[in-house]
Amino acid sequence: MATLLIVEDDALLLDALTGQLQQLDYSVCTASSVPQAMALLQAQAVDGIILDLGLPGADGMELLTWARTHIAGLPVLILTARDGVEDRVLGLNAGADDYLTKPFNMQELQARLQAMLRRARQPAFTQASSAAGGASTTIGPLVLDHASHAAALNGDLLDLTQREWELLELLVHRCGEVVTRDDVLAAWRASPPEPGQTTAAPLNSNALEVYVHRLRKKLDPSNLVIRNIRGLGYMLEKP
């Protein structure tokens, strides 16, 4: 379940939007000002932001700039009454992933959210995000170097295939969250075949089980555990 932060000062719209997104199986947290949103983002992780610009006190653009500086790769959809071309250009150039004006159609918002969150899960996106916020990610004894696609455990370099690396990076990027089988298979299909293969290896649930098994064995010397979430997928437990 993806967690969304809605930053909106219109109480009626905030309540209505929260209720509709919860019915669509999103987990929702809310803020009505930039300081409140910043405090919330520092206290908990979210998968994406729906951001109004016309907020009391500080403008929503200030939050967008802050988020881009402090939380690399966090998807942001601007939802605002500002419908001028200059406003759209300004918002997108400042780092927003999408821009939708009020009044809006809920089905369109849902489609845009799904596309935005789906893009954020792709390996190419996570690598670019990591490069923006730092060349490596550390979880317990595991260090991922995103630029070189290398991983070290307890200081020792892991021998990973391309598919194993992509799977590990996706699990690390969403550590503590469920990564569905479809998420992994979609990420694999979006990347080239592994080096040395004359034909693309079949990408299905059986192949995924094999790669998960291999990855578990390589993480055995650590306290890092890849859990099976029955009927859903996998989760890398936080150490």
Side-chain angles (χ1 to χ4, degrees):
M1 177 188 295
T3 299
L4 298 174
L5 168 61
I6 307 175
V7 188
E8 171 64 62
D9 66 320
D10 184 324
L12 289 177
L13 176 58
L14 184 61
D15 286 346
L17 192 51
T18 297
Q20 291 183 62
L21 289 173
Q22 287 174 335
Q23 288 180 9
L24 294 170
D25 290 329
Y26 289 103
S27 175
V28 178
C29 50
T30 64
S32 57
S33 68
V34 169
Q36 187 180 0
M38 287 181 179
L40 193 149
L41 288 169
Q42 289 172 328
Q44 72 176 85
V46 302
D47 297 294
I49 301 178
I50 299 175
L51 176 63
D52 184 24
L53 296 181
L55 298 169
D59 188 84
M61 289 295 294
E62 184 175 328
L63 179 63
L64 175 59
T65 302
W66 180 89
R68 282 291 165 261
T69 303
H70 292 81
I71 312 173
L74 179 63
V76 178
L77 183 149
I78 291 176
L79 182 63
T80 180
R82 299 179 189 175
D83 58 358
V85 174
E86 297 84 357
D87 295 310
R88 292 173 183 268
V89 171
L90 183 63
L92 294 170
N93 284 344
D97 296 87
D98 206 345
Y99 195 109
L100 185 61
T101 58
K102 303 172 183 175
F104 61 94
N105 179 280
M106 190 61 202
Q107 287 184 319
E108 181 181 4
L109 175 62
Q110 180 186 0
R112 287 174 180 264
L113 283 173
Q114 288 175 337
M116 182 178 76
L117 295 173
R118 186 168 57 247
R119 287 194 301 269
R121 293 176 182 140
Q122 299 304 314
F125 183 93
T126 60
Q127 290 161 18
S129 300
S130 301
S136 65
T137 301
T138 301
I139 295 183
L142 178 68
V143 179
L144 268 62
D145 186 319
H146 300 280
S148 62
H149 291 194
L153 187 66
N154 297 316
D156 296 324
L157 198 63
L158 291 176
D159 182 15
L160 299 174
T161 67
Q162 175 182 313
R163 295 290 182 232
E164 289 169 349
W165 161 262
E166 291 166 348
L167 172 60
L168 180 59
E169 187 181 39
L170 191 55
L171 289 167
V172 166
H173 178 66
R174 296 171 58 189
C175 184
E177 302 175 14
V178 176
V179 177
T180 69
R181 294 179 180 86
D182 287 344
D183 287 340
V184 180
L185 295 176
W188 281 352
R189 292 182 181 116
S191 66
E194 289 191 303
Q197 290 183 346
T198 54
T199 59
L203 299 178
N204 51 42
S205 291
N206 291 335
L208 177 53
E209 288 288 345
V210 172
Y211 281 104
V212 169
H213 176 71
R214 290 180 187 171
L215 202 51
R216 282 191 177 121
K217 290 184 69 67
K218 293 179 181 182
L219 295 177
D220 267 350
S222 74
N223 60 345
L224 296 172
V225 177
I226 302 174
R227 285 183 53 203
N228 267 65
I229 309 299
R230 186 179 296 276
L232 294 175
Y234 308 92
M235 180 177 71
L236 179 64
E237 292 186 338
K238 293 183 179 179

PDB file of all heavy atoms in Angstrom, residues 20-57:
ATOM      1  N   GLN A  20     -11.526   9.642  -0.707  1.00  0.00           N
ATOM      2  CA  GLN A  20     -11.529   8.957  -1.998  1.00  0.00           C
ATOM      3  C   GLN A  20     -10.254   8.154  -2.211  1.00  0.00           C
ATOM      4  O   GLN A  20     -10.287   7.043  -2.754  1.00  0.00           O
ATOM      5  CB  GLN A  20     -11.729   9.978  -3.121  1.00  0.00           C
ATOM      6  CG  GLN A  20     -13.124  10.593  -3.125  1.00  0.00           C
ATOM      7  CD  GLN A  20     -13.333  11.544  -4.289  1.00  0.00           C
ATOM      8  OE1 GLN A  20     -13.263  11.155  -5.440  1.00  0.00           O
ATOM      9  NE2 GLN A  20     -13.584  12.802  -3.974  1.00  0.00           N
ATOM     10  N   LEU A  21      -9.112   8.704  -1.793  1.00  0.00           N
ATOM     11  CA  LEU A  21      -7.851   7.975  -1.964  1.00  0.00           C
ATOM     12  C   LEU A  21      -7.780   6.770  -1.035  1.00  0.00           C
ATOM     13  O   LEU A  21      -7.236   5.726  -1.407  1.00  0.00           O
ATOM     14  CB  LEU A  21      -6.666   8.914  -1.716  1.00  0.00           C
ATOM     15  CG  LEU A  21      -6.443   9.966  -2.808  1.00  0.00           C
ATOM     16  CD1 LEU A  21      -5.358  10.956  -2.396  1.00  0.00           C
ATOM     17  CD2 LEU A  21      -6.066   9.296  -4.135  1.00  0.00           C
ATOM     18  N   GLN A  22      -8.333   6.890   0.152  1.00  0.00           N
ATOM     19  CA  GLN A  22      -8.370   5.744   1.064  1.00  0.00           C
ATOM     20  C   GLN A  22      -9.243   4.631   0.499  1.00  0.00           C
ATOM     21  O   GLN A  22      -8.934   3.449   0.663  1.00  0.00           O
ATOM     22  CB  GLN A  22      -8.859   6.184   2.443  1.00  0.00           C
ATOM     23  CG  GLN A  22      -7.824   7.000   3.218  1.00  0.00           C
ATOM     24  CD  GLN A  22      -8.363   7.554   4.521  1.00  0.00           C
ATOM     25  OE1 GLN A  22      -9.573   7.750   4.688  1.00  0.00           O
ATOM     26  NE2 GLN A  22      -7.472   7.849   5.453  1.00  0.00           N
ATOM     27  N   GLN A  23     -10.325   4.994  -0.183  1.00  0.00           N
ATOM     28  CA  GLN A  23     -11.169   3.993  -0.830  1.00  0.00           C
ATOM     29  C   GLN A  23     -10.418   3.280  -1.956  1.00  0.00           C
ATOM     30  O   GLN A  23     -10.743   2.138  -2.306  1.00  0.00           O
ATOM     31  CB  GLN A  23     -12.436   4.637  -1.383  1.00  0.00           C
ATOM     32  CG  GLN A  23     -13.425   5.065  -0.307  1.00  0.00           C
ATOM     33  CD  GLN A  23     -14.681   5.696  -0.890  1.00  0.00           C
ATOM     34  OE1 GLN A  23     -14.901   5.668  -2.104  1.00  0.00           O
ATOM     35  NE2 GLN A  23     -15.515   6.259  -0.032  1.00  0.00           N
ATOM     36  N   LEU A  24      -9.401   3.953  -2.508  1.00  0.00           N
ATOM     37  CA  LEU A  24      -8.578   3.354  -3.562  1.00  0.00           C
ATOM     38  C   LEU A  24      -7.380   2.605  -2.972  1.00  0.00           C
ATOM     39  O   LEU A  24      -6.443   2.255  -3.685  1.00  0.00           O
ATOM     40  CB  LEU A  24      -8.093   4.443  -4.524  1.00  0.00           C
ATOM     41  CG  LEU A  24      -9.185   5.140  -5.345  1.00  0.00           C
ATOM     42  CD1 LEU A  24      -8.633   6.355  -6.068  1.00  0.00           C
ATOM     43  CD2 LEU A  24      -9.805   4.150  -6.340  1.00  0.00           C
ATOM     44  N   ASP A  25      -7.411   2.393  -1.655  1.00  0.00           N
ATOM     45  CA  ASP A  25      -6.387   1.607  -0.940  1.00  0.00           C
ATOM     46  C   ASP A  25      -5.051   2.326  -0.779  1.00  0.00           C
ATOM     47  O   ASP A  25      -4.015   1.682  -0.602  1.00  0.00           O
ATOM     48  CB  ASP A  25      -6.158   0.244  -1.618  1.00  0.00           C
ATOM     49  CG  ASP A  25      -7.354  -0.684  -1.435  1.00  0.00           C
ATOM     50  OD1 ASP A  25      -8.035  -0.571  -0.405  1.00  0.00           O
ATOM     51  OD2 ASP A  25      -7.598  -1.505  -2.327  1.00  0.00           O
ATOM     52  N   TYR A  26      -5.065   3.655  -0.817  1.00  0.00           N
ATOM     53  CA  TYR A  26      -3.868   4.408  -0.445  1.00  0.00           C
ATOM     54  C   TYR A  26      -3.910   4.689   1.051  1.00  0.00           C
ATOM     55  O   TYR A  26      -4.974   4.895   1.636  1.00  0.00           O
ATOM     56  CB  TYR A  26      -3.804   5.744  -1.189  1.00  0.00           C
ATOM     57  CG  TYR A  26      -3.508   5.635  -2.657  1.00  0.00           C
ATOM     58  CD1 TYR A  26      -4.530   5.771  -3.604  1.00  0.00           C
ATOM     59  CD2 TYR A  26      -2.218   5.411  -3.117  1.00  0.00           C
ATOM     60  CE1 TYR A  26      -4.268   5.676  -4.962  1.00  0.00           C
ATOM     61  CE2 TYR A  26      -1.947   5.314  -4.471  1.00  0.00           C
ATOM     62  CZ  TYR A  26      -2.972   5.450  -5.382  1.00  0.00           C
ATOM     63  OH  TYR A  26      -2.712   5.357  -6.730  1.00  0.00           O
ATOM     64  N   SER A  27      -2.732   4.709   1.663  1.00  0.00           N
ATOM     65  CA  SER A  27      -2.611   5.223   3.019  1.00  0.00           C
ATOM     66  C   SER A  27      -2.348   6.722   2.894  1.00  0.00           C
ATOM     67  O   SER A  27      -1.524   7.137   2.067  1.00  0.00           O
ATOM     68  CB  SER A  27      -1.461   4.529   3.747  1.00  0.00           C
ATOM     69  OG  SER A  27      -1.258   5.102   5.019  1.00  0.00           O
ATOM     70  N   VAL A  28      -3.057   7.537   3.671  1.00  0.00           N
ATOM     71  CA  VAL A  28      -2.998   8.987   3.479  1.00  0.00           C
ATOM     72  C   VAL A  28      -2.627   9.694   4.778  1.00  0.00           C
ATOM     73  O   VAL A  28      -3.172   9.384   5.840  1.00  0.00           O
ATOM     74  CB  VAL A  28      -4.355   9.536   2.972  1.00  0.00           C
ATOM     75  CG1 VAL A  28      -4.296  11.060   2.824  1.00  0.00           C
ATOM     76  CG2 VAL A  28      -4.725   8.882   1.644  1.00  0.00           C
ATOM     77  N   CYS A  29      -1.694  10.631   4.685  1.00  0.00           N
ATOM     78  CA  CYS A  29      -1.442  11.567   5.774  1.00  0.00           C
ATOM     79  C   CYS A  29      -1.609  12.978   5.197  1.00  0.00           C
ATOM     80  O   CYS A  29      -1.509  13.170   3.980  1.00  0.00           O
ATOM     81  CB  CYS A  29      -0.068  11.369   6.402  1.00  0.00           C
ATOM     82  SG  CYS A  29       1.302  11.289   5.247  1.00  0.00           S
ATOM     83  N   THR A  30      -1.887  13.950   6.047  1.00  0.00           N
ATOM     84  CA  THR A  30      -2.248  15.275   5.547  1.00  0.00           C
ATOM     85  C   THR A  30      -1.503  16.383   6.276  1.00  0.00           C
ATOM     86  O   THR A  30      -1.069  16.221   7.417  1.00  0.00           O
ATOM     87  CB  THR A  30      -3.769  15.519   5.699  1.00  0.00           C
ATOM     88  OG1 THR A  30      -4.107  15.517   7.090  1.00  0.00           O
ATOM     89  CG2 THR A  30      -4.566  14.446   4.966  1.00  0.00           C
ATOM     90  N   ALA A  31      -1.397  17.513   5.593  1.00  0.00           N
ATOM     91  CA  ALA A  31      -0.835  18.732   6.173  1.00  0.00           C
ATOM     92  C   ALA A  31      -1.518  19.906   5.500  1.00  0.00           C
ATOM     93  O   ALA A  31      -1.912  19.830   4.327  1.00  0.00           O
ATOM     94  CB  ALA A  31       0.675  18.797   5.959  1.00  0.00           C
ATOM     95  N   SER A  32      -1.658  21.013   6.228  1.00  0.00           N
ATOM     96  CA  SER A  32      -2.337  22.186   5.665  1.00  0.00           C
ATOM     97  C   SER A  32      -1.409  23.376   5.507  1.00  0.00           C
ATOM     98  O   SER A  32      -1.851  24.455   5.122  1.00  0.00           O
ATOM     99  CB  SER A  32      -3.527  22.579   6.553  1.00  0.00           C
ATOM    100  OG  SER A  32      -3.093  22.824   7.882  1.00  0.00           O
ATOM    101  N   SER A  33      -0.108  23.177   5.781  1.00  0.00           N
ATOM    102  CA  SER A  33       0.856  24.261   5.621  1.00  0.00           C
ATOM    103  C   SER A  33       2.233  23.674   5.318  1.00  0.00           C
ATOM    104  O   SER A  33       2.470  22.474   5.537  1.00  0.00           O
ATOM    105  CB  SER A  33       0.934  25.114   6.896  1.00  0.00           C
ATOM    106  OG  SER A  33       1.506  24.361   7.952  1.00  0.00           O
ATOM    107  N   VAL A  34       3.133  24.519   4.848  1.00  0.00           N
ATOM    108  CA  VAL A  34       4.486  24.052   4.528  1.00  0.00           C
ATOM    109  C   VAL A  34       5.232  23.583   5.773  1.00  0.00           C
ATOM    110  O   VAL A  34       5.824  22.493   5.771  1.00  0.00           O
ATOM    111  CB  VAL A  34       5.269  25.154   3.776  1.00  0.00           C
ATOM    112  CG1 VAL A  34       6.753  24.784   3.666  1.00  0.00           C
ATOM    113  CG2 VAL A  34       4.674  25.356   2.383  1.00  0.00           C
ATOM    114  N   PRO A  35       5.245  24.340   6.881  1.00  0.00           N
ATOM    115  CA  PRO A  35       5.953  23.861   8.077  1.00  0.00           C
ATOM    116  C   PRO A  35       5.411  22.522   8.587  1.00  0.00           C
ATOM    117  O   PRO A  35       6.185  21.653   8.998  1.00  0.00           O
ATOM    118  CB  PRO A  35       5.721  24.980   9.099  1.00  0.00           C
ATOM    119  CG  PRO A  35       5.483  26.202   8.276  1.00  0.00           C
ATOM    120  CD  PRO A  35       4.738  25.717   7.086  1.00  0.00           C
ATOM    121  N   GLN A  36       4.092  22.355   8.548  1.00  0.00           N
ATOM    122  CA  GLN A  36       3.497  21.103   8.998  1.00  0.00           C
ATOM    123  C   GLN A  36       3.931  19.945   8.096  1.00  0.00           C
ATOM    124  O   GLN A  36       4.241  18.849   8.579  1.00  0.00           O
ATOM    125  CB  GLN A  36       1.976  21.228   9.009  1.00  0.00           C
ATOM    126  CG  GLN A  36       1.257  20.033   9.635  1.00  0.00           C
ATOM    127  CD  GLN A  36      -0.261  20.194   9.630  1.00  0.00           C
ATOM    128  OE1 GLN A  36      -0.784  21.195   9.161  1.00  0.00           O
ATOM    129  NE2 GLN A  36      -0.968  19.190  10.135  1.00  0.00           N
ATOM    130  N   ALA A  37       3.967  20.190   6.791  1.00  0.00           N
ATOM    131  CA  ALA A  37       4.378  19.156   5.846  1.00  0.00           C
ATOM    132  C   ALA A  37       5.849  18.792   6.035  1.00  0.00           C
ATOM    133  O   ALA A  37       6.220  17.613   6.001  1.00  0.00           O
ATOM    134  CB  ALA A  37       4.124  19.623   4.414  1.00  0.00           C
ATOM    135  N   MET A  38       6.702  19.799   6.247  1.00  0.00           N
ATOM    136  CA  MET A  38       8.128  19.528   6.459  1.00  0.00           C
ATOM    137  C   MET A  38       8.344  18.675   7.706  1.00  0.00           C
ATOM    138  O   MET A  38       9.143  17.731   7.697  1.00  0.00           O
ATOM    139  CB  MET A  38       8.894  20.844   6.586  1.00  0.00           C
ATOM    140  CG  MET A  38       9.081  21.609   5.296  1.00  0.00           C
ATOM    141  SD  MET A  38      10.021  23.139   5.564  1.00  0.00           S
ATOM    142  CE  MET A  38      10.099  23.796   3.893  1.00  0.00           C
ATOM    143  N   ALA A  39       7.636  19.014   8.767  1.00  0.00           N
ATOM    144  CA  ALA A  39       7.768  18.255  10.014  1.00  0.00           C
ATOM    145  C   ALA A  39       7.327  16.812   9.816  1.00  0.00           C
ATOM    146  O   ALA A  39       7.970  15.877  10.309  1.00  0.00           O
ATOM    147  CB  ALA A  39       6.948  18.924  11.110  1.00  0.00           C
ATOM    148  N   LEU A  40       6.240  16.616   9.080  1.00  0.00           N
ATOM    149  CA  LEU A  40       5.740  15.266   8.835  1.00  0.00           C
ATOM    150  C   LEU A  40       6.733  14.463   7.991  1.00  0.00           C
ATOM    151  O   LEU A  40       6.996  13.298   8.280  1.00  0.00           O
ATOM    152  CB  LEU A  40       4.378  15.334   8.150  1.00  0.00           C
ATOM    153  CG  LEU A  40       3.574  14.033   8.085  1.00  0.00           C
ATOM    154  CD1 LEU A  40       2.089  14.335   8.107  1.00  0.00           C
ATOM    155  CD2 LEU A  40       3.916  13.231   6.831  1.00  0.00           C
ATOM    156  N   LEU A  41       7.302  15.091   6.958  1.00  0.00           N
ATOM    157  CA  LEU A  41       8.245  14.391   6.079  1.00  0.00           C
ATOM    158  C   LEU A  41       9.533  14.018   6.812  1.00  0.00           C
ATOM    159  O   LEU A  41      10.196  13.048   6.451  1.00  0.00           O
ATOM    160  CB  LEU A  41       8.572  15.262   4.861  1.00  0.00           C
ATOM    161  CG  LEU A  41       7.437  15.401   3.841  1.00  0.00           C
ATOM    162  CD1 LEU A  41       7.767  16.488   2.824  1.00  0.00           C
ATOM    163  CD2 LEU A  41       7.187  14.068   3.132  1.00  0.00           C
ATOM    164  N   GLN A  42       9.890  14.783   7.827  1.00  0.00           N
ATOM    165  CA  GLN A  42      11.071  14.456   8.615  1.00  0.00           C
ATOM    166  C   GLN A  42      10.797  13.341   9.610  1.00  0.00           C
ATOM    167  O   GLN A  42      11.717  12.669  10.070  1.00  0.00           O
ATOM    168  CB  GLN A  42      11.565  15.705   9.350  1.00  0.00           C
ATOM    169  CG  GLN A  42      12.181  16.742   8.412  1.00  0.00           C
ATOM    170  CD  GLN A  42      12.494  18.050   9.117  1.00  0.00           C
ATOM    171  OE1 GLN A  42      11.799  18.453  10.053  1.00  0.00           O
ATOM    172  NE2 GLN A  42      13.548  18.726   8.674  1.00  0.00           N
ATOM    173  N   ALA A  43       9.513  13.123   9.922  1.00  0.00           N
ATOM    174  CA  ALA A  43       9.145  12.126  10.934  1.00  0.00           C
ATOM    175  C   ALA A  43       8.788  10.772  10.328  1.00  0.00           C
ATOM    176  O   ALA A  43       8.912   9.749  10.998  1.00  0.00           O
ATOM    177  CB  ALA A  43       7.970  12.638  11.766  1.00  0.00           C
ATOM    178  N   GLN A  44       8.329  10.742   9.071  1.00  0.00           N
ATOM    179  CA  GLN A  44       7.933   9.474   8.472  1.00  0.00           C
ATOM    180  C   GLN A  44       8.158   9.473   6.973  1.00  0.00           C
ATOM    181  O   GLN A  44       8.252  10.537   6.343  1.00  0.00           O
ATOM    182  CB  GLN A  44       6.470   9.162   8.779  1.00  0.00           C
ATOM    183  CG  GLN A  44       5.459  10.023   8.024  1.00  0.00           C
ATOM    184  CD  GLN A  44       4.032   9.597   8.303  1.00  0.00           C
ATOM    185  OE1 GLN A  44       3.430  10.008   9.280  1.00  0.00           O
ATOM    186  NE2 GLN A  44       3.479   8.763   7.418  1.00  0.00           N
ATOM    187  N   ALA A  45       8.268   8.270   6.407  1.00  0.00           N
ATOM    188  CA  ALA A  45       8.484   8.115   4.971  1.00  0.00           C
ATOM    189  C   ALA A  45       7.148   8.079   4.238  1.00  0.00           C
ATOM    190  O   ALA A  45       6.179   7.503   4.731  1.00  0.00           O
ATOM    191  CB  ALA A  45       9.265   6.845   4.696  1.00  0.00           C
ATOM    192  N   VAL A  46       7.094   8.713   3.077  1.00  0.00           N
ATOM    193  CA  VAL A  46       5.923   8.643   2.212  1.00  0.00           C
ATOM    194  C   VAL A  46       6.381   8.272   0.810  1.00  0.00           C
ATOM    195  O   VAL A  46       7.557   8.418   0.464  1.00  0.00           O
ATOM    196  CB  VAL A  46       5.138   9.982   2.187  1.00  0.00           C
ATOM    197  CG1 VAL A  46       4.696  10.382   3.581  1.00  0.00           C
ATOM    198  CG2 VAL A  46       5.965  11.094   1.554  1.00  0.00           C
ATOM    199  N   ASP A  47       5.449   7.779  -0.001  1.00  0.00           N
ATOM    200  CA  ASP A  47       5.777   7.353  -1.364  1.00  0.00           C
ATOM    201  C   ASP A  47       5.548   8.457  -2.390  1.00  0.00           C
ATOM    202  O   ASP A  47       6.032   8.363  -3.519  1.00  0.00           O
ATOM    203  CB  ASP A  47       4.950   6.126  -1.742  1.00  0.00           C
ATOM    204  CG  ASP A  47       5.273   4.939  -0.849  1.00  0.00           C
ATOM    205  OD1 ASP A  47       6.408   4.448  -0.920  1.00  0.00           O
ATOM    206  OD2 ASP A  47       4.398   4.524  -0.071  1.00  0.00           O
ATOM    207  N   GLY A  48       4.784   9.487  -2.019  1.00  0.00           N
ATOM    208  CA  GLY A  48       4.507  10.566  -2.956  1.00  0.00           C
ATOM    209  C   GLY A  48       3.746  11.693  -2.276  1.00  0.00           C
ATOM    210  O   GLY A  48       3.175  11.509  -1.194  1.00  0.00           O
ATOM    211  N   ILE A  49       3.752  12.859  -2.920  1.00  0.00           N
ATOM    212  CA  ILE A  49       3.079  14.043  -2.377  1.00  0.00           C
ATOM    213  C   ILE A  49       2.099  14.594  -3.404  1.00  0.00           C
ATOM    214  O   ILE A  49       2.418  14.681  -4.597  1.00  0.00           O
ATOM    215  CB  ILE A  49       4.083  15.158  -2.017  1.00  0.00           C
ATOM    216  CG1 ILE A  49       5.103  14.669  -0.984  1.00  0.00           C
ATOM    217  CG2 ILE A  49       3.364  16.391  -1.480  1.00  0.00           C
ATOM    218  CD1 ILE A  49       6.149  15.718  -0.637  1.00  0.00           C
ATOM    219  N   ILE A  50       0.912  14.952  -2.939  1.00  0.00           N
ATOM    220  CA  ILE A  50      -0.032  15.765  -3.720  1.00  0.00           C
ATOM    221  C   ILE A  50       0.035  17.155  -3.105  1.00  0.00           C
ATOM    222  O   ILE A  50      -0.319  17.346  -1.941  1.00  0.00           O
ATOM    223  CB  ILE A  50      -1.456  15.206  -3.644  1.00  0.00           C
ATOM    224  CG1 ILE A  50      -1.497  13.784  -4.215  1.00  0.00           C
ATOM    225  CG2 ILE A  50      -2.436  16.103  -4.409  1.00  0.00           C
ATOM    226  CD1 ILE A  50      -2.854  13.105  -4.061  1.00  0.00           C
ATOM    227  N   LEU A  51       0.481  18.141  -3.873  1.00  0.00           N
ATOM    228  CA  LEU A  51       0.854  19.440  -3.313  1.00  0.00           C
ATOM    229  C   LEU A  51       0.053  20.590  -3.909  1.00  0.00           C
ATOM    230  O   LEU A  51       0.080  20.813  -5.123  1.00  0.00           O
ATOM    231  CB  LEU A  51       2.356  19.679  -3.555  1.00  0.00           C
ATOM    232  CG  LEU A  51       2.935  21.028  -3.141  1.00  0.00           C
ATOM    233  CD1 LEU A  51       2.824  21.235  -1.635  1.00  0.00           C
ATOM    234  CD2 LEU A  51       4.390  21.132  -3.602  1.00  0.00           C
ATOM    235  N   ASP A  52      -0.640  21.318  -3.047  1.00  0.00           N
ATOM    236  CA  ASP A  52      -1.267  22.576  -3.451  1.00  0.00           C
ATOM    237  C   ASP A  52      -0.208  23.670  -3.380  1.00  0.00           C
ATOM    238  O   ASP A  52       0.721  23.599  -2.568  1.00  0.00           O
ATOM    239  CB  ASP A  52      -2.436  22.894  -2.513  1.00  0.00           C
ATOM    240  CG  ASP A  52      -3.187  24.150  -2.932  1.00  0.00           C
ATOM    241  OD1 ASP A  52      -3.135  24.507  -4.126  1.00  0.00           O
ATOM    242  OD2 ASP A  52      -3.806  24.777  -2.056  1.00  0.00           O
ATOM    243  N   LEU A  53      -0.333  24.677  -4.210  1.00  0.00           N
ATOM    244  CA  LEU A  53       0.644  25.771  -4.191  1.00  0.00           C
ATOM    245  C   LEU A  53       0.176  26.946  -3.346  1.00  0.00           C
ATOM    246  O   LEU A  53       0.980  27.583  -2.662  1.00  0.00           O
ATOM    247  CB  LEU A  53       0.938  26.251  -5.626  1.00  0.00           C
ATOM    248  CG  LEU A  53       1.608  25.221  -6.547  1.00  0.00           C
ATOM    249  CD1 LEU A  53       1.865  25.840  -7.923  1.00  0.00           C
ATOM    250  CD2 LEU A  53       2.908  24.691  -5.949  1.00  0.00           C
ATOM    251  N   GLY A  54      -1.127  27.246  -3.374  1.00  0.00           N
ATOM    252  CA  GLY A  54      -1.644  28.407  -2.658  1.00  0.00           C
ATOM    253  C   GLY A  54      -1.893  28.110  -1.195  1.00  0.00           C
ATOM    254  O   GLY A  54      -3.036  27.993  -0.749  1.00  0.00           O
ATOM    255  N   LEU A  55      -0.825  27.974  -0.424  1.00  0.00           N
ATOM    256  CA  LEU A  55      -0.926  27.633   0.994  1.00  0.00           C
ATOM    257  C   LEU A  55      -0.732  28.878   1.860  1.00  0.00           C
ATOM    258  O   LEU A  55      -0.074  29.837   1.438  1.00  0.00           O
ATOM    259  CB  LEU A  55       0.137  26.588   1.352  1.00  0.00           C
ATOM    260  CG  LEU A  55       0.022  25.251   0.612  1.00  0.00           C
ATOM    261  CD1 LEU A  55       1.273  24.412   0.845  1.00  0.00           C
ATOM    262  CD2 LEU A  55      -1.221  24.499   1.077  1.00  0.00           C
ATOM    263  N   PRO A  56      -1.271  28.868   3.066  1.00  0.00           N
ATOM    264  CA  PRO A  56      -1.086  30.030   3.955  1.00  0.00           C
ATOM    265  C   PRO A  56       0.374  30.138   4.399  1.00  0.00           C
ATOM    266  O   PRO A  56       1.041  29.134   4.624  1.00  0.00           O
ATOM    267  CB  PRO A  56      -1.996  29.702   5.146  1.00  0.00           C
ATOM    268  CG  PRO A  56      -2.129  28.215   5.139  1.00  0.00           C
ATOM    269  CD  PRO A  56      -2.079  27.811   3.702  1.00  0.00           C
ATOM    270  N   GLY A  57       0.867  31.369   4.501  1.00  0.00           N
ATOM    271  CA  GLY A  57       2.261  31.547   4.900  1.00  0.00           C
ATOM    272  C   GLY A  57       3.181  31.250   3.734  1.00  0.00           C
ATOM    273  O   GLY A  57       3.161  31.935   2.720  1.00  0.00           O
TER     274      GLY A  57
END
